Amino acid sequence: MKDNDIVELYWKRSESAVSQSQKKYGGYCGVIAGNILGSREDSEECVNDTWMKAWNNIPPIRPSRLSVFFGRITRNLAIDRYRRNKAEKHGGGQTALCLEELAECVGDSGEFSDDFILKDAINRFLHELSPDRRKIFMLRYWYMYPIKEIAGKTNTSEGAVKMSLQRTRTSLRNFLEEEGFGI
């Protein structure tokens, strides 16, 4: 089923919208949540919560790309759950490592900024990266893949992935400082 058809089901308040979303994007959202949480049960709950949140937001929102819309919802829910678990002493894994690595670039406020100006700056920075460096960066910090899996997905060595990430973080930090963001 096409994305436009699924969105129309949501607008018509048809319950099949959720089942069609799950069928088309359930695996994709499951990978996102799984990489952040490292727990199958928590990941499944986040994916189920994604459909509820989508149901509550469509309408009035009419997303043009459901993969991005569902992916963002899942990621935000998984990060919220990760923080809750960490506060309850149940955290760990890739998410903590990724957040620590990024803290050297964007600071360590403990919160993800909703500041439009910062998002715009980061998007401009990512747009200037080579496709390979951007892919490695996004696999690590958006999808939160382990270094070993990124190496496999990009057909490079783990050392090359680590070096690319280090250089990109340093470039991001310098870029943000030039843009006037105090780190």
Side-chain angles (χ1 to χ4, degrees):
M1 181 172 268
K2 293 182 180 178
D3 285 1
N4 290 338
D5 297 331
I6 294 172
V7 170
E8 283 306 314
L9 291 173
Y10 279 102
W11 276 81
K12 292 177 182 175
R13 306 313 285 165
S14 170
E15 291 182 18
S16 66
V18 173
S19 62
Q20 291 300 321
S21 298
Q22 172 68 33
K23 183 177 178 181
K24 187 167 183 181
Y25 293 107
Y28 169 73
C29 292
V31 167
I32 293 170
N35 286 341
I36 294 170
L37 296 167
S39 161
R40 186 178 55 78
E41 295 82 14
D42 285 349
S43 297
E44 288 174 359
E45 284 185 40
C46 277
V47 172
N48 289 333
D49 291 347
T50 296
W51 312 135
M52 177 63 77
K53 193 158 182 115
W55 182 264
N56 292 332
N57 285 290
I58 306 173
I61 297 171
R62 187 179 284 274
S64 58
R65 292 183 57 203
L66 282 179
S67 62
V68 173
F69 181 75
F70 292 145
R72 178 179 289 162
I73 291 172
T74 302
R75 183 176 186 273
N76 290 340
L77 289 169
I79 289 171
D80 288 345
R81 179 170 294 250
Y82 167 80
R83 286 184 179 142
R84 209 169 39 249
N85 288 350
K86 185 177 178 185
E88 297 170 0
K89 307 287 190 245
H90 289 76
Q94 288 302 310
T95 304
L97 291 172
C98 291
L99 296 177
E100 287 174 21
E101 291 169 7
L102 276 180
E104 69 184 55
C105 303
V106 296
D108 189 16
S109 65
E111 294 294 324
F112 285 86
S113 175
D114 285 331
D115 185 0
F116 177 77
I117 298 168
L118 177 60
K119 285 181 182 178
D120 181 59
I122 292 172
N123 284 333
R124 283 186 285 115
F125 171 79
L126 291 172
H127 184 71
E128 293 174 5
L129 291 177
S130 71
D132 291 339
R133 282 183 69 189
R134 183 173 41 245
K135 181 178 182 178
I136 289 170
F137 189 86
M138 295 301 291
L139 285 170
R140 181 67 172 164
Y141 300 117
W142 178 259
Y143 296 104
M144 297 191 184
Y145 276 99
I147 301 291
K148 185 175 184 173
E149 287 186 44
I150 295 170
K153 287 182 175 295
T154 58
N155 202 25
T156 57
S157 70
E158 289 182 43
V161 170
K162 289 177 185 177
M163 183 58 68
S164 175
L165 290 169
Q166 177 60 43
R167 289 178 178 164
T168 304
R169 287 192 310 268
T170 300
S171 296
L172 175 58
R173 181 184 179 96
N174 293 337
F175 177 84
L176 292 174
E177 287 174 350
E178 288 172 11
E179 293 288 313
F181 293 95
I183 307 303

